[in-house]
Amino acid sequence: MAAVAITGARLGREIVWAGRALLRAFSQIVLSEARPTAVLLALAAAFSPPSLACGIACALAALATARAVGLEGAAEGGGAYGANALFVGLAVGHVAGLTAAALALALGLGALCAFVVAAGIAVLTRGWALPVLSVPAVALAFLLRGAAGHLQLAPGPPETMLAASVAPLGAGPTALLASLGALVFAPTWKAGLLVGAALLWHSRIGFLLAWLAGTALLVLAEALQIGRPATLVAVFNGCLTAVALGGVWFVPSRSSFALALAGALAAGLVAWGLAAPWQLLGWPLSVLPFNAASLLFLVACRARLRDEYPKSVDFLPGTPEQNLAVFETRLRRGLNPAAPHAVAVSLPFQGEWLCTQGVDGPLTHRGAWRHGFDFEIRDARGSFHRGFGREVGDHHCYGLPVIAAADGTVVKVVGDVPDNPIGTINVARNWGNLVLLWHAPGLYSLVAHLQPGSSTVREGQGVVRGQALGACGNSGRSPRPHLHFQLQGTAVVGAPTLPCAFAVAVKGDGQGGLALRNAIPAVDERWSNLAVDADSLAAFDFPLGRSWNYQLEGTGVRGWETISVEIDLLGETALASDKGRLAFRRTANELLTTTCAAAPDSFLQLVRMALPSVSMGAPGRARWRDWLPSADWRGRRPPWRDLVAPFVPNQGIEMEYRLDRQRGGLLVVEGQAVSRDPRSLPSVRTRVLFAPGEGIVQIDVATARGLRSARRGAIPVLVPSRRREETSHESTSGPVRAGAERDSVLLARGGAVETQGGPPPAPPRDRGRLFP
């Protein structure tokens, strides 16, 4: 009986695995992972029962073969194996009908498809970093045509038979729906309606792209009087191409929509251009136009000098809406730098200085030199000097250290230009005394107008960020002491400037300063580098391998969630649970969360809102700003907003955070929205209690959706103990009579497991002033 039970359980697991893998195969037809999309596509394919039966048989054969051989990703139900085989099987059923020979052919082609897909992944994905798409299905379609002749199955390519069962297409909604139905070899408006619903469920942006591309191709075909078979194939290939280019591999935007329509037109031209010769040869076009156009544009866009307009998806892709949200959040948070440099640049001085001329400054920062900065020091009285300031030494900035903005190598030092008397300039030696550093290919930094003889480095010497280079002076074109800084692309002194944004800098505001990411100083703004606090740097740490349990409660969240710290093969560190993953990274001066792929009710979403970044300044002084997308605080937005999202900027919200210390050594990070609601209250409020070395103790997040909270605790797991106790006592499961077995509670804290006889002590639940 035990063996039968084990066999039954194993069979049940195999059936569940096969069902999930099939659903993934169906969803991959439209580049999705959503199961409702897969169900709708399967229902659409059911309008042609032979195609559905052969498609399932072919997909299962491919998946089973890939899993048996141990091909990469097969154990998880790899979508590429199932989706390509599904395409082939649908074509087999449409060409051959539901016969024993057709099913045998589907099974054989499915087994072969597993190896063709694996080869495609090895060549396209690993070799050329391109998606495998449905190229294996196109290759096997040629074998299908040859086998059809030998087995005396229906003649001609599948698309010819498809078009024969469709009324004149025209350019109306029915024609578009019939073309969408042809994607699953069921060219009827009813099947197309289900395919359209599947696209709409997967992505409103994807549906809009498909509708625009399909309508444009139908109108063009009607105007050119192109026949039904070629138009049918052109439209569904164009729709797939538009979805892929416009929202999957490129971030949805005006430019990606333009690229999507161009790709759809290219797919249509391929379909129309090859229709006649392919028909003479008896070869099927299938999804060849989609693959050809998509790969063409992907390869061509790699030749661009800059990755923008449209921006490629350089992170783990999701739905078009998710891709857009991730990109906009990164952009607004300053994770896509204003200047396209791989090197983080700091301010070239110590302490707080005043920007006296910035980008497009009216004096000398014009034209090719527009991205320069001038800095001086102004005292509390508003003066740049002591006394009358007639001597260079009277000026507050004169003689102060000038430091390296980033690690690099000294390529040029000039130190023999004398200081100018106040009010005069030296145009013969315009830049005065200077130090020019190389940081990366095509990236140099220049500090100029230094004090003569103050240089502490020599040419060819390596320097590190913050190392002294010289002292502020008044040499060159400088009527009074100041420091000039610029980035440039060559080693020529005074070459044209490059755009510059300082990685993290503190803007003085009379309240201790506000740390900003990718800061661009403007005139009359006080700026300084972030003074990193050693205690804060040590406290905000998530050691690898640690784990914690959190109890969630509030609007839309309830229950327990276990969080652990892990690192992937690419070296990205993340907080992970069974509900998702939140990646983060530490820099020299901040803790920064990056990508979040987690369920809406996950603890990780609360962390992303309440702790998107932490500036490592001193508690009581550290303040910084970050940005949250609108979905975090307004709730789930209506679907129609997704349709306009690529054309209208995301209405997110700017948050300001503050780090402070409580009694007992706990650190608290409080955040609130910069904007106010109609009651003049912050529209979002957050609070995090953090125990140094122990991680997050409690999180509270208040938005328009309500209050959500999480606090660290222990999940009680009852384990019978061998000890007996004669007296009554209270356990975590309630009162226990004398003589009953004692229950112990296993507590998992920080990755360690302890045994305790009573309930776990809960951490203090302190909501503070922010959450009365």
Side-chain angles (χ1 to χ4, degrees):
M1 291 297 293
V4 173
I6 293 174
T7 303
R10 183 177 300 171
L11 179 61
R13 289 195 298 269
E14 294 298 325
I15 291 174
V16 170
W17 175 85
R20 290 176 176 173
L22 273 177
L23 288 176
R24 191 177 185 194
F26 271 102
S27 65
Q28 286 281 298
I29 290 178
V30 292
L31 308 172
S32 174
E33 294 282 351
R35 290 180 182 174
T37 296
V39 172
L40 289 169
L41 289 171
L43 291 175
F47 278 87
S48 176
S51 292
L52 179 61
C54 291
I56 291 175
C58 193
L60 287 176
L63 289 165
T65 302
R67 188 180 181 189
V69 176
L71 297 177
E72 182 180 0
E76 295 79 23
Y81 299 103
N84 276 276
L86 184 60
F87 265 125
V88 176
L90 291 173
V92 170
H94 195 82
V95 170
L98 188 56
T99 64
L103 286 173
L105 180 60
L107 291 172
L109 289 176
L112 180 60
C113 184
F115 296 98
V116 178
V117 170
I121 293 174
V123 174
L124 289 173
T125 306
R126 293 181 180 172
W128 298 339
L130 291 170
V132 71
L133 300 179
S134 45
V135 172
V138 172
L140 290 173
F142 295 103
L143 294 182
L144 169 61
R145 176 65 188 98
H150 289 294
L151 297 175
Q152 297 182 351
L153 302 176
E159 54 267 16
T160 303
M161 299 180 60
L162 281 174
S165 59
V166 182
L169 285 178
T174 304
L176 179 58
L177 291 176
S179 300
L180 289 177
L183 180 63
V184 291
F185 291 86
T188 67
W189 69 268
K190 294 180 181 179
L193 191 63
L194 288 172
V195 174
L199 270 172
L200 190 61
W201 183 282
H202 164 61
S203 166
R204 274 61 59 200
I205 295 175
F207 176 82
L208 179 60
L209 286 163
W211 180 79
L212 290 173
T215 301
L217 289 172
L218 284 171
V219 171
L220 185 59
E222 184 75 9
L224 298 177
Q225 295 295 304
I226 299 175
R228 291 195 305 271
T231 299
L232 193 73
V233 177
V235 170
F236 77 71
N237 275 278
C239 290
L240 281 179
T241 305
V243 173
L245 294 178
V248 176
W249 295 312
F250 293 92
V251 176
S253 62
R254 295 181 180 89
S255 54
S256 80
F257 268 63
L259 182 69
L261 291 177
L265 177 60
L269 292 176
V270 171
W272 291 327
L274 296 180
W278 248 238
Q279 189 171 355
L280 290 175
L281 294 171
W283 292 350
L285 274 174
S286 185
V287 284
L288 172 62
F290 158 65
N291 286 273
S294 298
L295 293 176
L296 170 68
F297 278 83
L298 283 175
V299 173
C301 286
R302 289 184 178 178
R304 298 179 297 169
L305 295 179
R306 296 186 64 176
D307 181 21
E308 57 183 3
Y309 308 119
K311 176 71 176 70
S312 65
V313 174
D314 56 0
F315 44 86
L316 188 65
T319 67
E321 286 80 7
Q322 291 169 341
N323 293 341
L324 180 59
V326 169
F327 174 73
E328 286 191 333
T329 301
R330 282 172 40 172
L331 189 65
R332 294 292 296 269
R333 293 183 65 198
L335 304 185
N336 286 344
H341 311 309
V343 177
V345 179
S346 303
L347 291 167
F349 48 76
Q350 299 170 342
E352 188 177 74
W353 292 49
L354 183 78
C355 179
T356 52
Q357 188 178 192
V359 178
D360 291 322
L363 301 176
T364 55
H365 299 173
R366 312 293 293 176
W369 296 273
R370 60 187 297 258
H371 294 291
F373 298 95
D374 289 344
F375 296 99
E376 300 179 52
I377 291 182
R378 186 168 62 188
D379 59 25
R381 298 180 293 107
S383 176
F384 293 99
H385 51 75
R386 295 176 291 274
F388 294 102
R390 294 172 181 170
E391 303 295 330
V392 291
D394 296 337
H395 288 252
H396 299 307
C397 65
Y398 185 80
L400 292 183
V402 175
I403 60 178
D407 298 351
T409 303
V410 180
V411 295
K412 184 69 173 178
V413 176
V414 175
D416 61 346
V417 182
D419 283 326
N420 303 315
I422 298 297
T424 65
I425 59 176
N426 183 351
V427 294
R429 305 187 69 176
N430 197 48
W431 298 98
N433 301 306
L434 60 93
V435 176
L436 180 63
L437 302 180
W438 174 92
H439 300 291
L443 182 64
Y444 298 78
S445 69
L446 174 71
V447 288
H449 311 308
L450 304 182
Q451 184 180 3
S454 66
S455 299
T456 58
V457 294
R458 64 182 185 280
E459 294 180 6
Q461 177 183 341
V463 297
V464 297
R465 183 191 311 273
Q467 180 175 337
L469 303 178
C472 180
N474 194 43
S475 57
R477 188 172 178 176
S478 175
R480 70 184 187 200
H482 75 282
L483 171 64
H484 174 86
F485 177 84
Q486 69 180 46
L487 295 181
Q488 57 187 57
T490 70
V492 177
V493 173
T497 59
L498 295 175
C500 174
F502 297 98
V504 177
V506 178
K507 181 180 177 181
D509 59 359
Q511 302 180 41
L514 183 66
L516 298 176
R517 198 177 298 119
N518 291 319
I520 302 178
V523 174
D524 286 334
E525 291 179 348
R526 296 177 181 271
W527 290 91
S528 62
N529 285 309
L530 177 66
V532 177
D533 183 76
D535 292 338
S536 298
L537 193 63
F540 287 94
D541 190 18
F542 296 103
L544 190 64
R546 289 291 302 270
S547 63
W548 304 269
N549 298 314
Y550 292 94
Q551 184 178 20
L552 286 78
E553 59 183 22
T555 306
V557 295
R558 190 168 298 278
W560 289 89
E561 188 171 352
T562 300
I563 305 297
S564 59
V565 185
E566 62 179 32
I567 187 169
D568 62 16
L569 295 177
L570 299 178
E572 184 178 62
T573 313
L575 299 176
S577 75
D578 58 353
K579 292 187 177 181
R581 194 169 183 272
L582 173 65
F584 67 90
R585 67 171 182 257
R586 288 175 62 96
T587 66
N589 42 33
E590 66 178 341
L591 174 71
L592 183 67
T593 62
T594 53
T595 57
C596 180
D601 61 343
S602 173
F603 170 82
L604 301 174
Q605 295 288 1
L606 298 183
V607 177
R608 185 173 65 89
M609 292 184 65
L611 213 64
S613 58
V614 179
S615 179
M616 298 302 177
R621 294 181 55 86
R623 294 168 48 241
W624 65 97
R625 288 190 178 181
D626 218 307
W627 188 86
L628 298 177
S630 59
D632 284 347
W633 58 284
R634 285 182 175 172
R636 185 174 178 84
R637 63 183 182 183
W640 66 266
R641 286 184 177 270
D642 291 334
L643 297 176
V644 300
F647 313 102
V648 179
N650 190 349
Q651 300 300 313
I653 189 168
E654 190 174 23
M655 296 284 294
E656 183 169 317
Y657 297 89
R658 180 188 298 271
L659 173 64
D660 212 334
R661 190 185 301 276
Q662 287 192 340
R663 292 180 179 177
L666 288 179
L667 296 175
V668 58
V669 176
E670 294 182 331
Q672 62 179 10
V674 176
S675 61
R676 302 283 167 162
D677 63 14
R679 299 173 298 170
S680 297
L681 295 174
S683 51
V684 180
R685 292 172 295 163
T686 66
R687 192 165 186 265
V688 181
L689 289 178
F690 203 99
E694 294 296 328
I696 297 171
V697 175
Q698 181 177 325
I699 292 183
D700 297 291
V701 175
T703 67
R705 302 163 65 178
L707 175 64
R708 290 174 288 169
S709 301
R711 59 173 176 168
R712 196 174 68 199
I715 304 175
V717 181
L718 301 182
V719 180
S721 173
R722 294 181 179 178
R723 292 182 296 169
R724 301 175 61 87
E725 203 163 290
E726 300 299 330
T727 58
S728 299
H729 65 276
E730 295 288 329
S731 74
T732 54
S733 58
V736 180
R737 293 190 301 272
E741 290 188 346
R742 176 180 175 85
D743 287 327
S744 296
V745 180
L746 296 181
L747 300 178
R749 287 185 182 274
V753 178
E754 306 169 1
T755 303
Q756 182 173 317
R765 188 164 182 77
D766 175 18
R767 294 189 184 277
R769 301 183 307 278
L770 213 56
F771 300 90

